[in-house]
Amino acid sequence: MQSPLSQQPPQKIHDLPRDFLFTQLAGYFHAPPPVGIIEANYSLWRCIETGFEFCDPPLPGNAAFYEWVSGFASYYPGFRWEYGEVARMLKSGNFSTPDFKVLDVGCGKGDFLRALDFLPPQKKSALDVNKPAVRVCREQGFNAFCGTVETAIASGFLKPAEFPVVTSFHCLEHVSHPVEFVRELLRATASGGKLYLSTPYSPMSFERDWFDILNHPPHHMTRWNLMAYRRLAEILGVKMRHFAPSNRPLRQALQVFRLKHYGPNVSISRASLIKNLLRHTSQFFASWRQLCQRARHHEIGGADLILVEFTAP
């Protein structure tokens, strides 16, 4: 067993048996998962040098798994903070030059590319392994390809070092071989160009009190932090900057309270929530104080999301 980011022997955190993961999925989505969508008993490991966490075996969810989870409206977040942040940075740059264009890998239905309303559709390229999503992107006028960077270059759809900007939001944590995945993204990035990645920042604020099945296998293969990203940049020989949304411990405390008392994806009236908060005031404020302390000592201020910019050599 070896961490993708270190030669040092990793530390085993705990086992994640198939039956446990199956039960957690059922509780998260309030529906019994189909038989066969979890193919292995997993274990979770931690890199002793960086705190980066990864699972064994590195076996992502199969087609049946993603077909099932993607059928729930709660699975898709819609607009993400990092879409607006990257759009803002691009808009302040030289986006009007003739050779400027953007490639979004793991594009989904094109939510990020739609946020780039200052660019014409022909300057937006999209890659995904999901055929229906690629079809939606094509209908919006984007240059879209079903496959990976490697297969897109091999087919001639992409050229090496073609794009001044490449993005891949919430994809890195899903892949079995993260270093190789980012290396392929850099292969499509022009020299001096920017590659933007985002992932959850693990452990997230609520994971002290509640197990998040969607931040574990078979959904997420890896769990990232700032030190892990810095090691990744070192391995790849790239310059790095990082960004995070402003953090609100009070909002995080409310999220923890809701998860502990109601579970995920449950609608609760404002009146019921307030009534329950009044019954458990001391518990809520203890959680809030803990999250305030976490924010003061946290590498990115307690945020549950990190956005990273790599500058290609």
Side-chain angles (χ1 to χ4, degrees):
M1 181 58 52
Q2 184 173 316
S3 164
L5 302 181
S6 173
Q7 297 296 319
Q8 298 295 321
Q11 173 189 15
K12 187 175 183 180
I13 303 173
H14 52 239
D15 290 316
L16 295 168
R18 182 191 288 111
D19 290 347
F20 170 76
L21 297 173
F22 193 92
T23 301
Q24 290 293 316
L25 280 173
Y28 188 95
F29 290 109
H30 308 287
V35 175
I37 68 168
I38 301 177
E39 298 182 293
N41 293 306
Y42 293 90
S43 54
L44 191 66
W45 297 75
R46 179 180 294 125
C47 170
I48 61 171
E49 291 188 87
T50 65
F52 168 79
E53 296 177 0
F54 61 99
C55 69
D56 179 63
L59 180 66
N62 56 26
F65 172 81
Y66 278 101
E67 182 180 354
W68 185 70
V69 298
S70 63
F72 295 94
S74 60
Y75 182 70
Y76 290 105
F79 191 80
R80 295 184 184 271
W81 168 85
E82 57 267 46
Y83 295 172
E85 189 69 9
V86 173
R88 181 188 62 78
M89 288 190 281
L90 299 187
K91 197 169 184 178
S92 65
N94 297 320
F95 71 88
S96 59
T97 57
D99 61 344
F100 186 90
K101 50 188 172 181
V102 176
L103 170 66
D104 188 28
V105 178
C107 58
K109 296 180 180 179
D111 291 335
F112 167 66
L113 294 177
R114 281 197 304 275
L116 305 181
D117 54 5
F118 51 91
L119 286 179
Q122 62 269 24
K123 289 198 171 188
K124 305 174 187 180
S125 293
L127 250 64
D128 206 295
V129 295
N130 184 295
K131 288 183 179 179
V134 170
R135 189 181 310 117
V136 171
C137 286
R138 287 174 180 160
E139 290 170 355
Q140 297 173 80
F142 308 147
N143 303 307
F145 181 86
C146 188
T148 64
V149 170
E150 183 179 12
T151 58
I153 290 177
S155 71
F157 179 80
L158 301 180
K159 298 176 183 177
E162 181 180 356
F163 291 87
V165 174
V166 176
T167 59
S168 186
F169 302 118
H170 290 265
C171 294
L172 180 60
E173 66 270 29
H174 292 268
V175 302
S176 301
H177 305 289
V179 177
E180 291 77 5
F181 175 74
V182 179
R183 191 171 278 124
E184 280 299 305
L185 296 176
L186 287 167
R187 189 180 172 202
T189 310
S191 179
K194 306 297 185 183
L195 167 61
Y196 292 98
L197 305 167
S198 68
T199 60
Y201 196 98
S202 297
M204 291 186 280
S205 57
F206 48 80
E207 288 190 281
R208 178 176 176 267
D209 300 280
W210 181 77
F211 180 85
D212 183 8
I213 179 60
L214 291 191
N215 199 27
H216 288 85
H219 190 241
H220 288 177
M221 299 291 98
T222 53
R223 292 162 55 90
W224 292 84
N225 61 34
L226 184 56
M227 192 177 296
Y229 269 114
R230 285 174 172 158
R231 176 59 61 83
L232 178 60
E234 180 184 335
I235 291 170
L236 297 170
V238 296
K239 295 179 181 179
M240 172 186 147
R241 295 196 300 165
H242 70 278
F243 312 87
S246 49
N247 181 44
R248 299 176 183 175
L250 185 62
R251 178 180 291 181
Q252 289 178 333
L254 280 169
Q255 182 182 28
V256 170
F257 186 86
R258 290 178 66 104
L259 287 170
K260 289 177 69 173
H261 285 264
Y262 309 110
N265 304 316
V266 175
S267 296
I268 302 295
S269 70
R270 185 182 181 88
S272 296
L273 178 60
I274 292 173
K275 184 178 180 180
N276 206 10
L277 281 167
L278 291 173
R279 284 204 302 264
H280 299 90
T281 302
S282 59
Q283 179 193 99
F284 173 76
F285 278 106
S287 178
W288 178 51
R289 285 192 296 270
Q290 185 271 326
L291 289 165
C292 287
Q293 184 178 16
R294 174 181 182 268
R296 285 193 294 270
H297 300 286
H298 197 257
E299 298 91 338
I300 59 170
D304 290 329
L305 168 75
I306 184 168
L307 169 67
V308 171
E309 175 195 84
F310 288 161
T311 301

